[in-house]
Amino acid sequence: MEYEPVIGLEVHAQLLTKTKIFCGCSTQFGAAPNSHTCPICIGMPGILPVLNKKVVDYTIKMALATHCNINRENTWARKNYFYPDLPKGYQITQFAEPIAEHGYVDVEMNGGKKRIGITRIHMEEDAGKSIHDEHQPASYVDLNRAGVPLIEIVSEPDIRSAEEGVGYLRRLHEILVYLGICDGNMEEGSFRCDANISLRPKGEEKFGIRAELKNMNSFRHVQRALEYEIKRQQYILESGGEVIQETRLWDDSQGVTHPMRGKEEAHDYRYFPDPDLVSIVVSDEWIEEIKKTIPELPLEKRERFVNTYDIPPYDAVVLTTSRELADFYEETVKNCRKPKIASNWVMGDVLGHLKEDKKDIEGSPVSAVSLAKMINLIEDGTISGKIAKEVFEEMWKTGKEPKKIVEERGLIQITDTGSLENAIDNVLKTNPAQVEEYKQGKEKLFGFFVGQVMKITRGKANPKLVNELLKKKLSAS
Ligand code: ADP
Ligand code: MG
Ligand code: ZN
């Protein structure tokens, strides 16, 4: 029997506010343990939370970007559970009336688009962090993260493969970062994912029993964990067993999932409306105001790049991986008007060097304008494409303007017919045997002559001109 995976993802994204959701403590990552805390976020009795409006602004932004309906009145709930990193004994979250529902994102899959539904987006506070020390019989609790604002984005069970799951995650990640509301750092836990997965016989409508996977800290982990879990469940079903509804942890070093705990149900948490917080009323004006702050999103940007710059979709995907990179590319094109050539330089040399130097585009020592100037030097014949590589290296190292480098190093292309003819005559004279062979019909040798001319002109000869002159000379002599 053939089985089909059914996957729904829950993503927790940390919002980029300066302060926590219900108090004024800093959200900065990496501070000394428990230094960013106050009575509110460590859950002292009798405290009163006060909502950070930025959290709602950012959530509305994400909701609009993912085509959700905004609930004009939405409420807070307490989710009760005991855990050492949750001293209050409950988490403030949204339950029955989340801020946003019924959205979707389109994921590019094998040249097409697949629409994945979003069930809901809600706001909540993060818990603290338990730190287990291997060398001591003790665990520690750091409450700096307690009260940091999160949004939870729950997808419909629309995903049908590990690739689709990762595609969906990449898309959400990209949108959050484009919107400037999440730093997307998966290692620091700013973007976390739980995956629900079940299998059903192909053609069957009813969903199977699912497992929930946790502890995946990168897209690669998610991909591998889903692939493993599909195989595991398939094996169970094929051998006549039943999948247990449970939470499982991904172990990346072993490449397997382990059972962690039985799945808890919503009623286990005894959700109830939080009596300390009023409901949030979202006006039309508020939504309109947020709408104005939404930039062009990656998918639309990609489509525009393909349409207006006539570059391949592959280029458009690479060039829009961040807003800053896309801006850099557009600035380059604006100043040289050669979209495909600019794309080649940005994707190849610029990204290559950035990767080597472990830098983002913001840290590029070559500005978009300088790159465009260099492309212009190639286009107007001042330097050859080959010399341009050398110029670019120097620009990267020194930050100097291309024109200056070309002048200082005497790299200007030789386009003067007289001196090129001299060089060619020289080459033909010193290689009489090859000239003879060429005339006997060994036309492959043409490349050899071009190479020799380039060699004695130290790469500065205009290749097009060399070709022309060389052809003329060889057929004449
Ligand atoms: P919980 O609150 O227990 O985490 P939800 O009903 O909110 O459960 O669902 C969580 C996620 O699980 C959603 O993304 C949903 O699409 C997905 N999901 C629900 N049922 C299944 C199933 N049978 N197989 C796979 N995914 C599922
Ligand atoms: Mg869940
Ligand atoms: Zn606090």
Side-chain angles (χ1 to χ4, degrees):
M1 193 179 319
E2 218 187 314
Y3 289 96
E4 175 182 59
V6 172
I7 300 166
L9 300 177
E10 294 166 87
V11 166
H12 285 90
Q14 183 181 327
L15 297 178
L16 261 180
T17 54
K18 289 205 178 65
T19 56
K20 294 186 181 180
I21 183 167
F22 298 120
C23 66
C25 292
S26 165
T27 55
Q28 209 188 355
F29 182 85
N34 298 304
S35 59
H36 292 167
T37 54
C38 74
I40 294 178
C41 54
I42 64 173
M44 292 284 125
I47 45 87
L48 273 179
V50 176
L51 176 62
N52 180 346
K53 176 169 175 284
K54 265 266 142 56
V55 173
V56 188
D57 287 344
Y58 286 179
T59 310
I60 295 175
K61 212 167 171 177
M62 185 58 180
L64 292 174
T66 51
H67 315 277
C68 288
N69 290 333
I70 312 267
N71 290 327
R72 298 317 171 93
E73 184 162 354
N74 60 93
T75 55
W76 296 100
R78 288 187 181 180
K79 179 182 184 179
N80 299 282
Y81 64 94
F82 170 77
Y83 210 71
D85 62 22
L86 188 79
K88 281 208 295 282
Y90 62 87
Q91 178 191 23
I92 305 178
T93 179
Q94 296 196 293
F95 183 60
E97 295 144 317
I99 186 162
E101 292 175 281
H102 312 305
Y104 65 85
V105 296
D106 287 330
V107 180
E108 292 141 310
M109 291 298 302
N110 325 312
K113 262 191 230 166
K114 158 108 188 206
R115 182 159 291 184
I116 311 286
I118 289 178
T119 313
R120 56 188 271 147
I121 300 180
H122 68 251
M123 303 175 278
E124 61 187 25
E125 59 178 347
D126 206 348
K129 205 172 167 176
S130 298
I131 298 156
H132 309 291
D133 192 324
E134 273 176 54
H135 308 291
Q136 287 181 55
S139 284
Y140 301 89
V141 176
D142 177 3
L143 293 176
N144 282 348
R145 210 177 62 183
V148 162
L150 301 178
I151 51 175
E152 179 170 338
I153 306 161
V154 182
S155 87
E156 288 291 304
D158 288 345
I159 299 160
R160 294 288 171 269
S161 68
E163 294 74 43
E164 243 174 64
V166 172
Y168 165 81
L169 284 181
R170 285 192 187 280
R171 183 97 180 90
L172 278 192
H173 185 267
E174 192 174 65
I175 295 173
L176 286 162
V177 175
Y178 256 68
L179 292 176
I181 61 173
C182 173
D183 67 19
N185 190 325
M186 291 177 92
E187 273 161 38
E188 291 177 4
S190 310
F191 184 92
R192 321 196 274 266
C193 163
D194 300 338
N196 292 271
I197 169 163
S198 62
L199 258 53
R200 63 179 173 191
K202 204 149 196 167
E204 170 81 66
E205 245 188 85
K206 212 170 132 253
F207 291 154
I209 298 166
R210 66 177 146 138
E212 180 168 356
L213 311 182
K214 287 185 184 289
N215 197 38
M216 300 163 295
N217 304 323
S218 70
F219 294 122
R220 218 185 108 259
H221 288 186
V222 175
Q223 171 97 26
R224 293 185 66 207
L226 286 173
E227 280 169 359
Y228 171 82
E229 193 60 21
I230 290 169
K231 286 207 195 100
R232 188 188 70 89
Q233 293 188 10
Q234 185 165 353
Y235 179 77
I236 292 174
L237 296 173
E238 275 170 355
S239 43
E242 250 184 40
V243 174
I244 306 168
Q245 178 152 346
E246 64 184 349
T247 301
R248 301 178 67 89
L249 282 185
W250 169 244
D251 178 340
D252 195 59
S253 61
Q254 304 289 316
V256 297
T257 60
H258 293 299
M260 176 169 104
R261 57 167 188 244
K263 173 81 186 148
E264 54 295 283
E265 303 284 344
H267 61 252
D268 294 328
Y269 291 116
R270 294 268 184 259
Y271 284 98
F272 68 88
D274 192 305
D276 287 342
L277 288 156
V278 294
S279 60
I280 302 160
V281 177
V282 184
S283 64
D284 289 348
E285 294 77 42
W286 193 354
I287 292 177
E288 283 312 309
E289 208 180 291
I290 300 292
K291 236 181 218 160
K292 282 186 222 142
T293 67
I294 295 182
E296 182 182 34
L297 293 171
L299 188 68
E300 289 83 67
K301 216 187 254 300
R302 286 202 266 284
E303 287 173 353
R304 180 171 62 81
F305 277 20
V306 170
N307 293 333
T308 55
Y309 299 129
D310 201 19
I311 54 174
Y314 174 81
D315 293 35
V317 170
V318 175
L319 295 170
T320 54
T321 43
S322 82
R323 231 164 114 182
E324 291 77 13
L325 183 66
D327 289 347
F328 184 96
Y329 170 69
E330 290 206 271
E331 181 74 10
T332 309
V333 175
K334 202 176 101 197
N335 287 284
C336 73
R337 303 192 177 280
K338 291 275 176 263
K340 180 55 185 154
I341 293 170
S343 165
N344 292 346
W345 279 95
V346 174
M347 291 200 306
D349 301 77
V350 175
L351 285 184
H353 279 78
L354 287 175
K355 197 169 171 202
E356 233 168 71
D357 296 1
K358 295 193 171 56
K359 277 184 181 158
D360 290 329
I361 189 71
E362 294 97 306
S364 168
V366 174
S367 71
V369 175
S370 298
L371 177 62
K373 281 183 185 160
M374 195 205 70
I375 293 171
N376 288 335
L377 291 179
I378 309 172
E379 288 304 307
D380 70 15
T382 309
I383 55 174
S384 65
K386 197 164 162 238
I387 290 290
K389 296 273 173 195
E390 201 181 320
V391 173
F392 184 83
E393 287 295 326
E394 186 76 9
M395 288 165 72
W396 195 270
K397 269 191 224 127
T398 62
K400 280 188 196 164
E401 286 296 309
K403 197 152 187 194
K404 186 134 190 275
I405 295 169
V406 169
E407 280 163 10
E408 277 176 5
R409 296 180 152 214
L411 295 172
I412 291 178
Q413 184 163 247
I414 308 169
T415 49
D416 154 36
T417 320
S419 53
L420 281 185
E421 277 179 338
N422 279 342
I424 290 170
D425 289 341
N426 228 324
V427 167
L428 298 184
K429 208 183 299 161
T430 46
N431 298 285
Q434 281 85 347
V435 174
E436 203 44 48
E437 279 180 65
Y438 179 85
K439 284 190 182 154
Q440 304 295 324
K442 203 169 169 195
E443 292 191 2
K444 269 200 310 211
L445 278 169
F446 192 78
F448 163 78
F449 297 125
V450 175
Q452 291 301 305
V453 176
M454 283 303 179
K455 201 168 158 194
I456 62 172
T457 56
R458 300 211 316 281
K460 290 188 292 184
N462 177 317
K464 215 173 124 216
L465 212 50
V466 171
N467 272 289
E468 273 171 32
L469 294 172
L470 199 55
K471 266 199 192 113
K472 223 187 281 168
K473 294 250 174 204
L474 281 167
S475 56
S477 63

